[in-house]
Amino acid sequence: MLRGYQVLVVGAGIIGAACAYRLAERGLRVGVIERAPAPAMGSTGRSAAGVRVQFTEAINILLSWHSILEYRGMPEAAYRPIGYLFLVPESRWLTHMAGVGLQRSLGVPVEVWGLEEARRRVEFRPQASGLEPVRGATFGPADGVVDPHGICLGYLQRARRLGAEVHTGVELLSARRAEGVWEVQTSGGMLYAEFILNAAGAWAGEVGRRAGLSIPVHPARRMVFCTAPGPLWDHPLTVDLHSGFWFRPEGSRLIFGRSNPADVGFREGMDWGWLEPTLEVGLARFPWLERLQLDQRASWWGYYEVTPDHNPILGWMPGVEGWVNACGFSGHGVQQAAMVGRLMAEEIADGRAHSLNIDPLRYERWSEGRGFSEGNIV
């Protein structure tokens, strides 16, 4: 393999795929390399597939909202607006309501529900042992689920039609800038590119290291537990904000989980020891879960790609010519990929993203003291 590209995208997950499509749409010569034997085999293919606008920061709200609007018209997305229901404890109520005000001011649909209205949709205990009482709830009628695998392959198919080349089973080994071009040594040979776009997901930090760069993205393992088949469920994706426990229907099954903040690094496989702490808080709030059986074979695990503030890194790498980051989404990659693809195409083709102001998510936020904290992290 000895090829030259204007843009080399590292990673063929949903972020890399969306970026490759929009860059190729701009007429750029695009190459994509993916270390796995096929696209969407990392975080994308193991996502719980939720999409929502219920964030507390404007940039996250808008990235998700514009992406949802695109998924609505994309057959491969299989978008289903089942809604997100957040059960909000007293201590977070005022902050959460401020977030609702911001969401509504940006034109996205969010409803505020009392306890009785919420309990008509999902049976739960407002007062539960060991958990803070639920004050009220919010519901996003445009929130829902999509098919991340379908979206990823759809974008890559569009990109290929526009001339992009996708190389799977090809790993970036090293990269260096020489005479205005990136020389990229891969497991399949040497590549050359004017620009590198780092969309390597949980491996984005390692990809940066191989180019001599410090990019604060680290893997964090997450469990998705799955019940045995039963009746068809029509519940929204429900999140208990105090404990972090969540569940959603998947046909005749429920999938559920809870983030373990201590589970970091490249550790593979299911952590069945995390099932008990997850069910402990889940059963306290939703005692009817006790009637369901677990299907171990249908459960799965995957990686979040986390940053210090759990927000993505977007845009040019400061002080490094021709390097762009689109990584560190901390569990929000699927729901923000469509708009990120458009913005990164602007960043490279036009010199700077302009459809949305991505300055809050640029790498410089840490050195310039502009970091911020997203309130609705699950």
Side-chain angles (χ1 to χ4, degrees):
M1 184 192 304
L2 185 63
R3 290 189 171 88
Y5 299 104
Q6 289 174 283
V7 186
L8 180 66
V9 178
V10 183
I14 194 169
I15 296 292
C19 292
Y21 167 47
R22 294 304 178 184
L23 287 161
E25 188 179 48
R26 288 296 200 98
L28 297 174
R29 190 169 65 258
V30 178
V32 182
I33 58 173
E34 168 56 55
R35 63 189 295 273
M41 291 188 68
S43 300
T44 297
R46 299 181 181 189
S47 167
V51 293
R52 60 180 168 100
V53 297
Q54 292 188 75
F55 290 93
T56 61
E57 296 293 328
I59 184 61
N60 285 326
I61 297 166
L62 291 170
L63 285 174
S64 287
W65 179 233
H66 288 292
S67 295
I68 288 172
L69 293 177
E70 184 166 322
Y71 296 151
R72 279 178 168 177
M74 187 177 182
E76 301 96 328
Y79 164 70
R80 292 186 290 127
I82 65 172
Y84 261 67
L85 180 68
F86 279 94
L87 305 182
V88 187
E90 180 69 43
S91 63
R92 295 184 59 168
W93 183 253
L94 292 180
T95 301
H96 198 81
M97 288 303 99
V100 170
L102 177 60
Q103 294 151 21
R104 288 174 169 173
S105 75
L106 295 172
V108 303
V110 181
E111 302 170 6
V112 178
W113 290 359
L115 290 178
E116 291 309 311
E117 187 171 10
R119 294 178 75 186
R120 283 196 290 271
R121 285 298 305 272
V122 175
E123 182 183 346
F124 66 91
R125 285 177 175 164
Q127 307 273 346
S129 176
L131 299 178
E132 189 178 347
V134 176
R135 162 70 184 273
T138 59
F139 179 75
D143 299 343
V145 294
V146 294
D147 177 359
H149 193 266
I151 294 169
C152 183
L153 295 185
Y155 281 141
L156 289 176
Q157 184 180 53
R158 288 165 169 80
R160 284 191 177 102
R161 288 174 181 166
L162 294 169
E165 296 181 351
V166 181
H167 308 284
T168 55
V170 175
E171 184 173 4
L172 184 147
L173 303 177
S174 66
R176 72 183 190 99
R177 189 78 173 176
E179 299 181 357
V181 174
W182 284 100
E183 298 177 351
V184 183
Q185 183 65 54
T186 78
S187 57
M190 185 71 77
L191 295 174
Y192 299 88
E194 295 178 43
F195 305 98
I196 289 179
L197 192 153
N198 182 9
W203 290 266
E206 174 62 18
V207 165
R209 189 190 67 78
R210 295 181 183 186
L213 306 176
S214 177
I215 299 172
V217 176
H218 307 282
R221 190 173 54 162
R222 296 292 182 260
M223 303 299 120
V224 179
F225 301 107
C226 185
T227 71
L232 288 175
W233 300 88
D234 63 354
H235 291 64
L237 195 157
T238 302
V239 182
D240 176 42
L241 277 179
H242 178 252
S243 66
F245 180 90
W246 62 269
F247 71 86
R248 76 162 176 85
E250 183 61 45
S252 63
R253 302 174 185 263
L254 284 184
I255 62 174
F256 63 92
R258 181 191 183 206
S259 293
N260 178 0
D263 195 350
V264 295
F266 283 112
R267 291 190 279 182
E268 298 187 354
M270 289 296 295
D271 178 10
W272 291 111
W274 188 241
L275 177 61
E276 183 176 348
T278 301
L279 282 177
E280 181 180 3
V281 295
L283 290 170
R285 187 70 80 194
F286 310 101
W288 49 270
L289 289 171
E290 192 172 20
R291 302 193 299 266
L292 307 181
Q293 292 184 324
L294 187 73
D295 187 341
Q296 292 193 2
R297 292 175 299 176
S299 302
W300 73 89
W301 66 276
Y303 290 126
Y304 272 18
E305 41 169 314
V306 299
T307 65
D309 61 9
H310 296 275
N311 289 297
I313 307 171
L314 297 182
W316 299 109
M317 186 76 180
V320 182
E321 185 181 1
W323 185 283
V324 177
N325 291 304
C327 52
F329 286 86
S330 303
H332 308 141
V334 167
Q335 53 199 319
Q336 298 181 342
M339 192 58 185
V340 167
R342 294 178 181 273
L343 290 165
M344 293 303 94
E346 293 173 358
E347 185 84 349
I348 292 174
D350 301 336
R352 195 167 182 86
H354 49 80
S355 291
L356 291 178
N357 177 15
I358 65 169
D359 286 353
L361 299 179
R362 293 187 181 275
Y363 186 101
E364 299 93 318
R365 67 183 183 265
W366 290 296
S367 61
E368 297 176 359
R370 294 189 287 105
F372 66 96
S373 177
E374 168 57 53
N376 288 345
I377 300 292
V378 179

